[in-house]
Amino acid sequence: MTEQALETDAPYLRPDLSGAEAVVEVHDLVTHYGATEILHKIDFEVRQGEIMVIMGGSGSGKSTLLKALLGLLRPTSGAVRLLGEDLNAVSDVERTKLRRKMGVAFQGGALFSSLNVLENIMLPLREHTSLDLNTMRIMARMKMQVVNLSGFENLMPAELSGGMIKRAAFARAIAMDPRVLFCDEPSAGLDPVVASTIDDLILLLRDAMGMSIVVVTHELESAFRIADRICVLDQGHVLMVGTVDEVKASSSERIQNLLNRRTEAVELDPEEYLRQLTAANH
């Protein structure tokens, strides 16, 4: 099935975010898996109407940070505040209310295979509202129109292309008009042309609906195109938070290695290597 181009006006102008309120605040965030510290005193904020890209290599802590931002992983210390509320200090009832103000577009789409496209998009409305069925259908169709999926409501997920699955996932994520949208690797597994339509969609959602959007990705071209600011992670540390131009101009060797896809030489102490080998046998 062929992809349809989104009807967008290009080029996009980056918004003036000076003075915009923070909708996501991360302060001194530390997380562990068992005894291993994964995130080390993470600090950054996401402003109203901003697209913040979280970027880093494999194992940098991107997925762990996303889980903490969604309130799925309780931090060892520090705080994650969503719309002014500490996700880990509020009651379960209040945390559920906060989550209704966020949307999540999962990496693989995570559509339910037994539901058609319209039913998938309606699911959050069924779970979290008491609207009548006809109203939910109208709202879901409106979101399908936003992501350029009108006319495909009766198709099953198995009948969709990769890009259409991603767009259906976005429609479901925005079904309840969230203030903050989280996107996990939105361009992963897509060819460059289709990936570009997903970038267009993210920009459209920010511009047309005024959402703040957090995008976790390792795709440099996509990050540079959509980001208002980029948070660069490396081994659980924030190397910098800055605009695209600031990141590109960074003097950090690690950041330049990431941008230019250069591997870092690892110096291995022979005695330490021998110790690791012998320890594995005990």
Side-chain angles (χ1 to χ4, degrees):
M1 188 171 294
T2 58
E3 295 295 333
Q4 295 184 4
L6 290 170
E7 297 179 2
T8 57
D9 294 324
Y12 288 91
L13 299 177
R14 300 190 189 281
D16 180 6
L17 298 170
S18 57
E21 66 171 322
V23 294
V24 178
E25 302 165 85
V26 182
H27 298 298
D28 288 333
L29 181 68
V30 176
T31 66
H32 284 77
Y33 287 146
T36 304
E37 186 170 299
I38 305 299
L39 299 178
H40 316 287
K41 289 189 173 295
I42 302 295
D43 270 289
F44 72 95
E45 65 179 25
V46 182
R47 301 165 186 162
Q48 175 63 42
E50 176 177 35
I51 298 176
M52 171 67 78
V53 169
I54 299 173
M55 189 174 71
S58 178
S60 61
K62 302 189 301 296
S63 296
T64 300
L65 177 55
L66 180 60
K67 289 178 183 178
L69 294 177
L70 297 176
L72 301 176
L73 178 64
R74 183 172 291 275
T76 306
S77 60
V80 175
R81 300 179 68 86
L82 177 69
L83 304 174
E85 299 289 340
D86 188 333
L87 274 176
N88 296 289
V90 297
S91 67
D92 290 342
V93 173
E94 289 300 317
R95 189 180 300 111
T96 299
K97 289 181 180 178
L98 278 173
R99 283 177 174 155
R100 290 173 185 167
K101 298 177 183 179
M102 68 169 75
V104 184
F106 297 98
Q107 180 174 342
L111 300 181
F112 288 90
S113 59
S114 60
L115 304 179
N116 65 29
V117 171
L118 184 65
E119 291 167 338
N120 265 284
I121 296 169
M122 286 172 53
L123 193 59
L125 299 171
R126 285 182 175 274
E127 292 292 321
H128 299 296
T129 75
S130 56
L131 297 170
D132 64 86
L133 185 59
N134 192 48
T135 300
M136 287 190 286
R137 284 175 177 157
I138 292 171
M139 293 179 66
R141 288 189 179 111
M142 289 173 63
K143 297 306 188 293
M144 290 182 67
Q145 198 166 31
V146 170
V147 304
N148 203 26
L149 275 180
S150 296
F152 298 103
E153 60 187 47
N154 293 319
L155 292 184
M156 304 301 288
E159 299 174 288
L160 304 179
S161 67
M164 294 175 75
I165 288 173
K166 296 276 189 177
R167 285 190 274 140
F170 272 98
R172 185 178 61 186
I174 64 173
M176 294 184 62
D177 297 316
R179 288 192 58 187
V180 185
L181 175 63
F182 295 91
C183 308
D184 185 15
E185 299 284 3
S187 301
L190 302 178
D191 68 58
V193 174
V194 179
S196 179
T197 67
I198 298 300
D199 292 341
D200 287 341
L201 175 57
I202 291 171
L203 290 164
L204 177 66
L205 292 176
R206 190 272 310 278
D207 295 343
M209 305 183 72
M211 292 180 183
S212 303
I213 304 178
V214 178
V215 179
V216 174
T217 186
H218 66 278
E219 301 285 348
L220 294 178
E221 185 176 351
S222 176
F224 291 158
R225 184 176 179 211
I226 66 176
D228 294 310
R229 290 189 299 154
I230 297 175
C231 173
V232 184
L233 287 185
D234 180 69
Q235 298 179 12
H237 297 272
V238 173
L239 294 184
M240 75 173 294
V241 178
T243 64
V244 171
D245 289 340
E246 289 169 344
V247 170
K248 287 182 176 180
S250 171
S251 60
S252 167
E253 182 179 0
R254 287 189 173 183
I255 290 178
Q256 290 304 318
N257 285 342
L258 176 66
L259 299 187
N260 294 287
R261 303 183 185 277
R262 293 194 299 256
T263 58
E264 294 185 9
V266 178
E267 295 183 4
L268 188 63
D269 182 273
E271 293 185 2
E272 174 62 18
Y273 180 56
L274 180 60
R275 187 196 66 78
Q276 292 177 10
L277 289 177
T278 56
N281 294 324
H282 294 291

